[in-house]
Amino acid sequence: MDRNRIALAVTFVVTILSLFVGLINLVSNVSSSKLTKVDAGSGFGTDRLGAALIKIEGEIHSGRSSYDSAGAQTILEQLRAIEDDSNIVGILVEINSPGGSVGASQEIYKELMYLRKDKNKKVVVSMKDIAASGGYYIASAADKIYALGGTLTGSIGVIAIAPNIKGLLERYGVKVRTFKEGKYKDSLSLFRDNTPEEDAMIQKMLSDTYEEFIEDVAKGRNQTVKFVEALAEGRIYSGQDAFRNKLVDDIGGRREALAELSKLCNYDGTLPLFEEEVNPWDRFFQLMQAKSGGFFGGEKAFLQELKRSPVLVLYPNSMAW
């Protein structure tokens, strides 16, 4: 009883605090689209030439970014806000991500390619600890890619994961009834084995996505499909190995990447670097959501590990959580 009361009290406090933060956020005058200088040069704003800093951190997914993940909607809004800004001549993309969902990675890749090809924005990527699978997919849209010697990258491949707990349920006498309209509606079900026909269908879906992945990397890197295929199949590379295999262009961090971006933009010196100003209440609210989600029984640890695996993951409906 005491534990229930404590849990209820904590839930109530977190709810009230969340509502309070939300109300403050609504009346706050801080704009989430304002750019502020973060590195190099002098002055604030975009009344002078500069480059935009875009950070892609954590699992890549559709929707809005969270405290520890990168949402395609948030990233696309940041990129589209600068596409017609003539003062933003370059984009520095910092990636620290193991990958994520296919569609989200493709959307960001295509937007960067559009800015690079149609809007004449120079794009340079700086890889951090990891830029694998979906992270590398996005990176391949850049004019130049920089990685640290110890960066984990590559993992050009696609995977779909569907746990099967049929045996466990049978052991304890648990039966699951499924009602469906459509022969394949419960493909990749947790509760039964796939048929050979369903396995072939899923494999075809993965093969199509894999081919598109390779073609897009080849297009972004100005390489042949055959060249990328030889380095794909899910292989993971260190930054040094990726450099030797021409998956990245050079070894270095933000300093070197920004210097190269300045050079590509024909800028005398180092381009001022601007980043979207984040509403502090938004950041605080995201942190509270992350903390409360973990406390009140969020995702299981093994599911989190699956989502953080360094592969470009497809999440079918049976894997939604």
Side-chain angles (χ1 to χ4, degrees):
M1 180 66 70
D2 289 340
R3 292 174 89 187
N4 290 337
R5 287 178 177 175
I6 292 173
L8 184 60
V10 172
T11 303
F12 178 78
V13 171
V14 171
T15 301
I16 294 300
L17 185 57
S18 298
L19 289 172
F20 176 71
V21 172
L23 289 172
I24 293 177
N25 186 37
L26 287 174
V27 300
S28 173
N29 290 322
V30 180
S31 171
S32 62
S33 63
K34 184 179 179 181
L35 295 177
T36 58
K37 185 180 74 66
V38 294
D39 194 18
S42 61
F44 284 80
T46 56
D47 56 346
R48 56 176 303 198
L49 292 182
L53 174 63
I54 303 294
K55 293 182 178 180
I56 297 175
E57 299 176 328
E59 176 201 351
I60 302 163
H61 56 83
S62 298
R64 304 203 66 83
S65 297
S66 67
Y67 180 73
D68 58 355
S69 66
Q73 181 180 341
T74 300
I75 304 301
L76 292 173
E77 286 175 0
Q78 293 173 349
L79 293 173
R80 288 166 182 165
I82 61 175
E83 68 177 35
D84 292 320
D85 188 339
S86 59
N87 287 318
I88 296 296
V89 294
I91 303 169
L92 178 61
V93 184
E94 291 188 340
I95 301 177
N96 192 22
S97 170
S101 67
V102 177
S105 302
Q106 288 178 329
E107 275 195 304
I108 299 171
Y109 166 90
K110 292 182 183 301
E111 185 65 23
L112 286 173
M113 287 293 286
Y114 169 74
L115 292 173
R116 176 182 160 190
K117 300 293 187 180
D118 294 355
K119 293 295 183 176
N120 198 32
K121 307 280 189 187
K122 301 302 180 183
V123 181
V124 173
V125 160
S126 174
M127 294 179 170
K128 302 305 178 185
D129 294 330
I130 182 170
S133 202
Y136 185 77
Y137 200 144
I138 292 170
S140 67
D143 293 284
K144 298 286 183 180
I145 302 175
Y146 278 75
L148 300 169
T151 297
L152 293 180
T153 189
S155 190
I156 301 173
V158 185
I159 185 172
I161 306 171
N164 187 330
I165 60 173
K166 173 187 173 185
L168 179 65
L169 296 179
E170 289 176 346
R171 179 178 177 180
Y172 291 98
V174 178
K175 294 183 179 180
V176 177
R177 295 185 299 168
T178 301
F179 302 91
K180 63 181 180 178
E181 191 65 51
K183 182 179 179 180
Y184 305 107
K185 190 59 180 176
D186 64 336
S187 296
L188 292 180
S189 171
L190 287 166
F191 312 118
R192 68 171 179 82
D193 296 325
N194 268 7
T195 65
E197 187 178 5
E198 288 171 327
D199 283 341
M201 180 179 67
I202 298 300
Q203 191 58 53
K204 178 62 166 62
M205 176 184 70
L206 295 178
S207 297
D208 289 344
T209 306
Y210 180 60
E211 290 176 9
E212 188 172 3
F213 191 171
I214 289 177
E215 289 171 0
D216 282 344
V217 170
K219 186 188 304 179
R221 297 292 294 158
N222 294 316
Q223 296 284 358
T224 64
V225 167
K226 186 176 181 179
F227 174 86
V228 178
E229 284 178 335
L231 298 170
E233 296 186 344
R235 295 182 181 89
I236 299 175
Y237 302 87
S238 68
Q240 291 285 358
D241 206 18
F243 174 59
R244 286 190 288 268
N245 283 283
K246 299 182 180 179
L247 287 174
V248 305
D249 297 289
D250 212 338
I251 300 298
R254 178 186 288 192
R255 183 190 301 274
E256 291 77 15
L258 184 56
E260 178 64 24
L261 182 59
S262 302
K263 181 180 176 182
L264 291 174
C265 294
N266 297 313
Y267 188 83
D268 186 15
T270 303
L271 274 168
L273 189 60
F274 299 94
E275 183 179 12
E276 182 179 79
E277 182 178 307
V278 178
N279 188 319
W281 293 111
D282 285 343
R283 182 59 59 88
F284 178 72
F285 190 57
Q286 289 175 354
L287 178 60
M288 289 300 298
Q289 284 182 317
K291 294 300 182 183
S292 63
F295 184 81
F296 293 108
E299 296 169 345
K300 299 295 184 182
F302 83 96
L303 290 179
Q304 289 179 328
E305 288 306 312
L306 285 178
K307 292 176 73 177
R308 292 172 183 168
S309 178
V311 288
L312 183 67
V313 178
L314 288 175
Y315 294 127
N317 288 334
S318 58
M319 280 287 288
W321 54 73

